[in-house]
Amino acid sequence: MGDLIVFLLRLFVLIPFGFICGRFSEKKHLRSLEERESAISGFLVTDLKTFPKISSTSKTPEMLIGEVTIATDYFKTFAGSLKNFFGGEMRGFESLKTRARREAILRILEQAKAKGFNAVCNLRQETADIGGSTLSKKSAITVSILASATAYSTADGNG
Amino acid sequence: MFVVNTETVPGFEVAEAKGIVQGNTVRAKHAGRDIAAGFKNLVGGELKGYTELLTESRREAMERMMAQARELGANAVVNVRFSTSAVTAGAAELYAYGTAVVLEKNGEETADSQVAPPELPVSSSDSE
């Protein structure tokens, strides 16, 4: 009986709740990403160790770091576990990862812009498993990204 | 399209850096494969299902990265890096990123700017 109540609670409360809140927060995040990305246009972003198009008057390049951890919602976790049973591409988690990476890179670019640079190079990205999702199937799914890059100035001011 | 994990390509020079391009995919194998992998774990040996999973994911991620590069008008992706992460048990993410560039043959700076490198070595996507 207790199990049944828990099952029904999950099915009719947590999953719809996760679906609605998850969609809302994802939309909100994507909107904010788009706004902030369009505010930072003309940045030349590369993962080269050399400095493409560096200007001779560029001030000393500086390393910058952007970190972010975001969580998925209950509905996507549930949908993901279904997909895991049948196999195939997990689009819900793909968009989660993409959002986290865009956020981490954006945090670097915003710092770079605030310091008066207009390009970054040697961009590196690392993932961390904070939620311990590999250890237990029941733990919450979170995504952590650490991005680092070197900021400098280009001659013409845009890529 | 030229895809390498070095920063420069001998015989060519980077005429223009277009910026970062990336591709990712999260994939899982069906439960049957997961169970088979569980059994394999008892006796040891290669988990073929998961090797296959990684191969497919890498191809997909590279395809997406190259599609972005083509959109930017680049003819090569240099300094390609791969990174993987586990999303849940049995599902893996593969992420590929690199710098999209326009490569030109050395010593032909005055030639047409639209020099597509002829007969380049095939990218590593089939070298298992």
Side-chain angles (χ1 to χ4, degrees):
Chain A
M1 190 64 196
D3 284 354
L4 187 68
I5 292 172
V6 170
F7 177 75
L8 289 177
L9 190 76
R10 281 172 60 167
L11 198 63
F12 292 110
V13 180
L14 289 180
I15 291 175
F17 185 70
F19 180 72
I20 294 164
C21 294
R23 262 185 90 91
F24 178 73
S25 71
E26 180 167 17
K27 284 247 168 78
K28 196 175 149 199
H29 191 201
L30 283 174
R31 231 185 354 255
S32 128
L33 281 174
E34 255 156 43
E35 272 168 24
R36 286 150 67 204
E37 269 169 4
S38 56
I40 298 183
S41 55
F43 252 80
L44 178 62
V45 185
T46 62
D47 67 346
L48 303 174
K49 277 180 212 147
T50 49
F51 296 81
K53 292 186 190 169
I54 190 168
S55 81
S56 51
T57 55
S58 173
K59 56 179 176 167
T60 318
E62 199 177 319
M63 187 177 90
L64 300 171
I65 294 197
E67 294 153 315
V68 64
T69 301
I70 60 176
T72 183
D73 60 72
Y74 200 89
F75 172 76
K76 278 194 176 170
T77 311
F78 175 73
S81 64
L82 280 185
K83 193 79 193 181
N84 206 340
F85 185 81
F86 296 108
E89 203 176 318
M90 302 165 103
R91 289 185 195 277
F93 294 143
E94 249 168 51
S95 74
L96 184 74
K97 288 266 176 181
T98 312
R99 269 198 293 143
R101 289 212 169 85
R102 280 171 73 185
E103 178 71 40
I105 295 175
L106 204 50
R107 286 184 185 179
I108 291 182
L109 296 186
E110 280 172 346
Q111 286 177 60
K113 195 183 183 189
K115 291 182 179 188
F117 295 108
N118 66 7
V120 301
C121 67
N122 207 11
L123 180 73
R124 295 278 179 269
Q125 297 171 54
E126 294 294 330
T127 52
D129 187 16
I130 290 180
S133 50
T134 50
L135 299 176
S136 149
K137 279 189 178 177
K138 283 187 176 163
S139 64
I141 294 173
T142 58
V143 167
S144 308
I145 307 282
L146 184 151
S148 62
T150 307
Y152 65 99
S153 301
T154 57
D156 48 338
N158 73 71
Chain B
M1 174 146 304
F2 216 169
V3 181
V4 292
N5 63 357
T6 50
E7 294 202 10
T8 53
V9 183
F12 292 91
E13 68 181 37
V14 175
E16 194 183 350
K18 294 281 191 185
I20 205 105
V21 286
Q22 49 198 331
N24 77 334
T25 181
V26 182
R27 296 183 77 90
K29 280 286 180 193
H30 60 79
R33 283 297 181 82
D34 288 339
I35 293 167
F39 281 126
K40 193 83 194 190
N41 235 332
L42 294 175
V43 292
E46 187 185 347
L47 301 166
K48 289 236 169 64
Y50 288 151
T51 308
E52 210 178 287
L53 173 70
L54 283 180
T55 310
E56 308 175 337
S57 306
R58 180 176 52 73
R59 282 203 181 141
E60 181 76 46
M62 275 180 78
E63 270 311 313
R64 289 180 185 176
M65 180 184 74
M66 281 150 74
Q68 270 193 16
R70 257 177 244 124
E71 233 166 66
L72 289 174
N75 65 4
V77 186
V78 296
N79 206 22
V80 174
R81 297 281 179 266
F82 292 99
S83 111
T84 55
S85 57
V87 177
T88 49
E93 188 215 17
L94 217 141
Y95 177 59
Y97 61 105
T99 299
V101 296
V102 178
L103 286 183
E104 271 173 23
K105 260 213 156 111
N106 258 345
E108 284 180 23
E109 286 90 38
T110 50
D112 288 344
S113 60
Q114 196 49 276
V115 182
E119 286 164 50
L120 289 167
V122 180
S123 70
S124 62
S125 56
D126 293 316
S127 60
E128 259 72 59

